[in-house]
Amino acid sequence: MGITMAQVGGDSQNTMPVAINAGLTARQIARLTPVDPNAAKFSMDAFKKSLGNPGALLEGTAKNLPLSDALAQQSLFTRLAAKVPFVRNFLGPDFILNEAIGKLGKDALNGLSKAQVTQIALEGGDVAGKLAKAGLSPELAKELGAKSAERLAALGGNAAGAVSRQVVSSAADDLAKQALGMTMKKGFTQASEAAVKKALQDPNAYEALKQLGFYAKDAKALVAKAAGAGAETVAKAATTEAAAVAGQAAAKEGAKTGVKGFLGNLLSGAKGNFVVAGVFSLASNAIQLAQGQINVMQFLGLSVVDTAAYGAIGWGSAAAGAAIGTALFPGVGTAAGFVIGLGLGFLGGSVYEKFLRNPLKGMLGAGGGRAADSGYNAGGQTAPAGPQGYQVPAPTPGVDLTYEEAMRQIERMGSR
């Protein structure tokens, strides 16, 4: 007898694909840790030493979380789901960069992994130069550098303002001259170079350019160019400020709203994983609904909760698997990361199934099913099968029928 999906991954069919995806993502992230051929290989002493430093494991996991979500956004599932405008808007500015990386084939990467390319792009600075140095073609490196700048600009607020305020004067002048050739909205006269330059140096350059009369797409393009125009130190400063602003906002929101704030931060940091989990959840629950295993109410409720739970499980399992694999198993971190990420995915899925999903499923009502297949009659009581395929009539309320009396009734009906 073969092992069924339910035996491996619990009641939901989501656990297995989410766990496998977490393992594969952990493997990709673990590859970022260079293996020093002169370094000591795995030993029990090194294992015990690393195990005794849980702080380092937690720090490594936190460092891997952005990469875990970026790789989920680059997956085929997410890119297909993003064809829906709602999903694309939900993914936000990060998807500008992740979609471009996700489309790259193996030949274009020239031996690099998508995780390596993503890490370089997220570091900021001279992204195009770094990618070209790492091995990408100059054309592709330049394209991804532009996407990285566009992502940074689209983050808006302080992140874009940090760049535009520090753009060198000559770059601002050049951009102002380019802006004068763009089509303005009806009713607006052509803006002066000085006004455009001032708008580019505004903390919220995007909105300032729109107020001058530029169309949204042109304003976004100008801010994106401003983001990529500075030297490496300028872009690094912007990236650092963007990270600091995001961290301060997350801490403030979390402290202010407690559990609600925590869930909100979790959601904003794992959008790609939530989309992947949502695809799996809708598909598996739709199959169960069609087969009569769950009802409509269960389908709706479980799809929402499955998406949230498996999004968080996949995101965290991949990040933790990579961190633990590389820390505890030097030299074999890639394989160990896959196994640990896979195991954590299954463990998280099993805990979720047992303590949350199954009780919720029961609260939402009994599954669909078919009365005849279940062996129940209209009266809600089990009815034994009669000879020649006859079904024993339901007992009349208040009257007890023994099996022998029911059989005699069948015989009388057959003799008529």
Side-chain angles (χ1 to χ4, degrees):
M1 181 181 294
I3 298 176
T4 66
M5 180 82 75
Q7 289 171 321
V8 175
D11 180 54
S12 172
Q13 297 175 5
N14 296 342
T15 301
M16 179 174 283
V18 167
I20 292 174
N21 188 60
L24 292 173
T25 304
R27 180 177 177 272
Q28 287 191 68
I29 298 174
R31 283 185 62 187
L32 295 175
T33 304
V35 178
D36 183 357
N38 299 318
K41 299 298 180 184
F42 172 73
S43 67
M44 211 39 151
D45 289 339
F47 176 83
K48 290 178 180 178
K49 185 177 179 181
S50 298
L51 193 62
N53 188 7
L57 296 179
L58 290 174
E59 184 180 345
T61 299
K63 183 179 178 182
N64 290 336
L65 287 173
L67 273 174
S68 172
D69 188 61
L71 292 173
Q73 288 201 27
Q74 294 166 18
S75 70
L76 178 63
F77 291 111
T78 309
R79 287 186 286 117
L80 287 176
K83 301 293 183 184
V84 180
F86 164 76
V87 176
R88 193 177 193 88
N89 292 336
F90 169 75
L91 291 170
D94 286 337
F95 191 62
I96 295 171
L97 175 63
N98 288 319
E99 182 182 33
I101 297 175
K103 290 179 178 178
L104 298 179
K106 191 174 182 180
D107 293 338
L109 290 169
N110 198 24
L112 295 174
S113 69
K114 290 183 179 179
Q116 289 171 307
V117 172
T118 305
Q119 184 184 51
I120 292 172
L122 292 179
E123 283 176 355
D126 182 12
V127 173
K130 290 179 180 179
L131 289 174
K133 188 177 180 180
L136 291 188
S137 68
E139 295 79 11
L140 182 56
K142 186 177 180 181
E143 180 185 339
L144 292 180
K147 289 292 183 182
S148 179
E150 186 181 345
R151 163 190 170 267
L152 184 61
L155 288 172
N158 290 331
V163 181
S164 57
R165 285 195 302 272
Q166 299 178 66
V167 157
V168 290
S169 179
S170 60
D173 290 339
D174 290 341
L175 287 172
K177 289 175 183 177
Q178 291 179 32
L180 298 185
M182 294 181 175
T183 306
M184 306 287 285
K185 292 180 182 177
K186 188 175 180 180
F188 284 85
T189 58
Q190 200 75 355
S192 66
E193 284 188 33
V196 175
K197 185 175 178 180
K198 183 179 179 181
L200 283 170
Q201 294 172 334
D202 190 275
N204 197 340
Y206 174 68
E207 289 298 333
L209 288 168
K210 283 177 63 179
Q211 288 177 9
L212 285 179
F214 288 96
Y215 286 102
K217 64 181 181 62
D218 292 333
K220 184 178 289 187
L222 285 169
V223 178
K225 288 180 181 179
E232 181 175 350
T233 52
V234 174
K236 268 189 176 178
T239 304
T240 303
E241 180 169 336
V245 169
Q248 290 168 5
K252 184 177 180 181
E253 183 67 19
K256 184 169 44 171
T257 57
V259 174
K260 184 180 178 182
F262 170 77
L263 293 176
N265 296 331
L266 184 68
L267 177 66
S268 65
K271 291 180 177 179
N273 284 276
F274 280 115
V275 172
V276 172
V279 171
F280 289 141
S281 298
L282 287 173
S284 64
N285 285 314
I287 292 172
Q288 293 184 33
L289 177 65
Q291 293 176 343
Q293 298 175 17
I294 59 176
N295 58 35
V296 175
M297 186 65 71
Q298 288 172 320
F299 167 75
L300 295 174
L302 293 176
S303 293
V304 172
V305 180
D306 283 351
T307 297
Y310 281 107
I313 290 168
W315 182 49
S317 297
I324 296 171
T326 52
L328 300 186
F329 301 93
V332 289
T334 301
F338 171 77
V339 173
I340 295 171
L342 180 73
L344 290 174
F346 275 125
L347 177 63
S350 299
V351 171
Y352 159 65
E353 301 266 346
K354 182 176 181 180
F355 294 104
L356 183 59
R357 190 179 194 274
N358 287 337
L360 177 64
K361 182 179 178 182
M363 288 170 58
L364 293 173
R370 294 174 179 82
D373 294 341
S374 305
Y376 286 87
N377 53 38
Q381 295 173 297
T382 303
Q388 292 89 35
Y390 283 101
Q391 184 73 20
V392 177
T396 303
V399 178
D400 292 328
L401 278 179
T402 65
Y403 178 74
E404 289 77 10
E405 290 171 337
M407 291 298 293
R408 283 196 291 273
Q409 279 196 19
I410 291 175
E411 289 175 0
R412 285 197 296 271
M413 291 172 64
S415 64
R416 292 178 183 173

